[in-house]
Amino acid sequence: MRYSPEHKAQSHEKILSMAARSFRERGADASGIGTVMTKVGLKKGGFYRHFKSKDDLFVEAVARALDETGRGMVEVAKSAPEGEALRTIIERYLSMGHLNSPGTGCVRAALGPELARKPIAVRRRIEALLDEYRERFLPFMPGQTREEKQAKIRLLFPSMAGVLMMARVSSDPERREQILREARKFFINCFAE
Amino acid sequence: MRYSPEHKAQSHEKILSMAARSFRERGADASGIGTVMTKVGLKKGGFYRHFKSKDDLFVEAVARALDETGRGMVEVAKSAPEGEALRTIIERYLSMGHLNSPGTGCVRAALGPELARKPIAVRRRIEALLDEYRERFLPFMPGQTREEKQAKIRLLFPSMAGVLMMARVSSDPERREQILREARKFFINCFAE
DNA sequence: TGTACATCAGTGAACGCGCGTTCACTGATGTAC
DNA sequence: TGTACATCAGTGAACGCGCGTTCACTGATGTAC
């Protein structure tokens, strides 16, 4: 059958957001194209009408995930009281909500080592996305120069990602809570005095 | 043929250290039992004379990796000048050598999200290993109480792991250097003043 | 207005491949008598 | 000392399975005349 352009865009969109969630929840290796397509209501053969390869989908899914999480975080930062923006960002990032929802959360904490293992060409595209992502947060960082602010973002987000990632390994909810609490205190003290 | 107990122990050892390296380099999903066994000079069918399952190997490989990296780091810390132990640990962790050798480096930075995705039973065993690992570093942490020192380790290592992990995504060696340099300065300043 | 043809998202079957796991078998050595 | 048997690390083949990718085909709609 012939489908409308909007129909195609909708399918593309569904595949993309399902992949963005599934990759973060289970890892890209454990998220097969067949599984993703089935969850979206299509057959796996149709995948290649939308993406050139699984790596291509991977990059687009990472882009989508970064865009969504970045947008969400900028939103809460903008509606925070004067001078509380960065504090709000840190509190949201290091929250139990974020810890318990890897599928809609930070790409670094969910896929960090997988990003590092991708072939150079893929990694370069992801690097560009991360550069872009960082730009969004410049307005909320303390510091005199642009370079100074960027340096802080390059440190703050990966550090928080590491803490969140390891807190997810813990099986005890109280332990998790405790780790996040201590981390919030630390990062707010260091970056958002 | 009948093999000596030492022969079996040697095979076990070879499989274990090959897996510990391969898992960290390529991820556990991408490191097949067949591949690991072949690299060790055996056929994949022989695997189950040594381990109950792949997850069982995974836990043992993580244990091995944590033991080796922990031991190495404690060693340099012990031979550091008075009061420089923690500084030495941070510098070693956030070095280009560590960044470029994930196969012999920190489990958190190489496998963090995979640890978090394992079934509860596996995660609990890994959690215990991480608890054990942390004990080694207590003597080098500043702080009055044991709890205070532990809280700092729980923050420092995951944070550094996140930074190292994301520095590995970067394709430009100078960028990587810069990130590590800034991170070393930050963590030394915060934890090993 | 009516007919002929082009488009192309999605299907369904197939490709070769490696996965984790099981199992009957091998055969050199160790143990029992 | 010599013989019979048990052990068990490692082999090789097989199990069912899902993987990423390709491709001939379908058929409703859009376009050309």
Side-chain angles (χ1 to χ4, degrees):
Chain A
M1 339 159 184
R2 184 71 179 277
Y3 296 88
S4 65
E6 309 90 63
H7 178 95
K8 177 169 191 187
Q10 268 173 35
S11 291
H12 191 92
E13 163 60 28
K14 277 190 214 159
I15 298 166
L16 200 47
S17 64
M18 183 58 74
R21 170 183 291 270
S22 184
F23 286 177
R24 281 178 285 178
E25 277 175 358
R26 302 177 225 295
D29 285 347
S31 302
I33 283 168
T35 313
V36 169
M37 290 299 280
T38 302
K39 278 192 199 154
V40 154
L42 295 167
K43 300 292 152 53
K44 72 168 169 164
F47 174 78
Y48 293 88
R49 299 278 165 200
H50 293 280
F51 300 93
K52 286 210 302 290
S53 66
K54 197 189 182 186
D55 264 351
D56 192 49
L57 170 65
F58 184 80
V59 174
E60 287 208 43
V62 166
R64 157 64 52 102
L66 285 174
D67 187 56
E68 277 177 7
T69 54
R71 192 186 303 278
M73 221 120 59
V74 165
E75 232 165 64
V76 299
K78 274 190 179 155
S79 60
E82 184 68 21
E84 296 282 301
L86 186 53
R87 183 199 187 93
T88 316
I89 289 171
I90 292 170
E91 279 171 352
R92 186 183 153 109
Y93 193 101
L94 295 168
S95 68
M96 282 299 272
H98 190 187
L99 184 146
N100 288 319
S101 319
T104 56
C106 178
V107 167
R108 292 170 235 238
L111 298 170
E114 294 184 54
L115 303 179
R117 279 182 222 120
K118 288 281 172 191
I120 274 266
V122 173
R123 241 164 63 222
R124 271 203 245 272
R125 291 174 66 190
I126 287 165
E127 218 183 333
L129 294 170
L130 288 166
D131 290 348
E132 211 179 277
Y133 178 90
R134 251 179 262 116
E135 287 296 313
R136 293 176 184 257
F137 292 94
L138 275 181
F140 312 112
M141 299 305 292
Q144 305 303 314
T145 65
R146 185 188 148 84
E147 180 46 44
E148 208 181 314
K149 292 177 185 195
Q150 273 186 323
K152 280 182 180 162
I153 303 177
R154 277 198 299 262
L155 211 51
L156 174 60
F157 279 99
S159 294
M160 290 199 299
V163 172
L164 183 67
M165 165 179 103
M166 292 314 294
R168 281 177 178 154
V169 178
S170 191
S171 58
D172 175 20
E174 271 182 51
R175 246 282 181 100
R176 292 172 157 199
E177 259 291 24
Q178 187 193 9
I179 294 168
L180 292 186
R181 197 184 323 116
E182 287 165 359
R184 284 193 297 267
K185 197 175 139 202
F186 171 72
F187 287 112
I188 288 170
N189 182 55
C190 283
F191 290 89
E193 79 281 60
Chain B
M1 339 161 188
R2 184 73 179 279
Y3 297 87
S4 65
E6 310 90 62
H7 178 95
K8 177 169 191 187
Q10 268 172 36
S11 291
H12 191 91
E13 163 61 27
K14 278 190 212 159
I15 298 166
L16 200 47
S17 62
M18 183 59 73
R21 170 183 290 270
S22 184
F23 287 177
R24 281 178 284 177
E25 278 175 357
R26 302 176 226 294
D29 286 347
S31 302
I33 282 169
T35 313
V36 169
M37 290 299 279
T38 302
K39 277 192 199 153
V40 155
L42 295 168
K43 300 292 151 52
K44 73 167 168 163
F47 174 77
Y48 294 86
R49 298 280 164 199
H50 293 279
F51 301 92
K52 286 209 301 291
S53 66
K54 196 189 183 186
D55 264 351
D56 193 48
L57 171 64
F58 184 79
V59 174
E60 287 208 42
V62 166
R64 159 62 53 102
L66 284 174
D67 187 55
E68 277 178 7
T69 55
R71 191 186 303 277
M73 220 119 60
V74 166
E75 231 164 65
V76 299
K78 274 190 177 155
S79 61
E82 184 68 21
E84 296 282 301
L86 186 52
R87 183 200 188 93
T88 315
I89 289 171
I90 293 171
E91 279 171 351
R92 185 181 154 111
Y93 193 102
L94 295 169
S95 68
M96 282 299 273
H98 190 187
L99 186 146
N100 288 319
S101 319
T104 56
C106 178
V107 166
R108 293 170 235 238
L111 299 171
E114 295 184 54
L115 303 179
R117 279 182 220 120
K118 288 281 172 192
I120 274 268
V122 173
R123 241 164 62 222
R124 270 203 245 271
R125 291 175 65 190
I126 287 166
E127 218 183 334
L129 294 170
L130 288 167
D131 289 348
E132 210 179 277
Y133 178 90
R134 249 179 263 115
E135 287 296 313
R136 292 175 184 258
F137 291 93
L138 275 181
F140 312 113
M141 299 305 294
Q144 304 304 313
T145 66
R146 187 188 146 84
E147 181 46 44
E148 207 182 315
K149 292 177 184 194
Q150 272 186 322
K152 281 182 180 162
I153 303 177
R154 276 197 300 262
L155 211 52
L156 174 61
F157 278 99
S159 295
M160 291 199 299
V163 172
L164 182 67
M165 166 179 102
M166 292 313 294
R168 281 177 178 153
V169 178
S170 190
S171 57
D172 175 20
E174 272 183 48
R175 248 284 180 98
R176 293 172 156 198
E177 259 292 25
Q178 187 194 8
I179 294 167
L180 292 187
R181 200 184 320 117
E182 287 166 358
R184 283 193 297 267
K185 198 176 139 202
F186 172 73
F187 288 111
I188 288 170
N189 182 56
C190 283
F191 290 88
E193 77 281 58

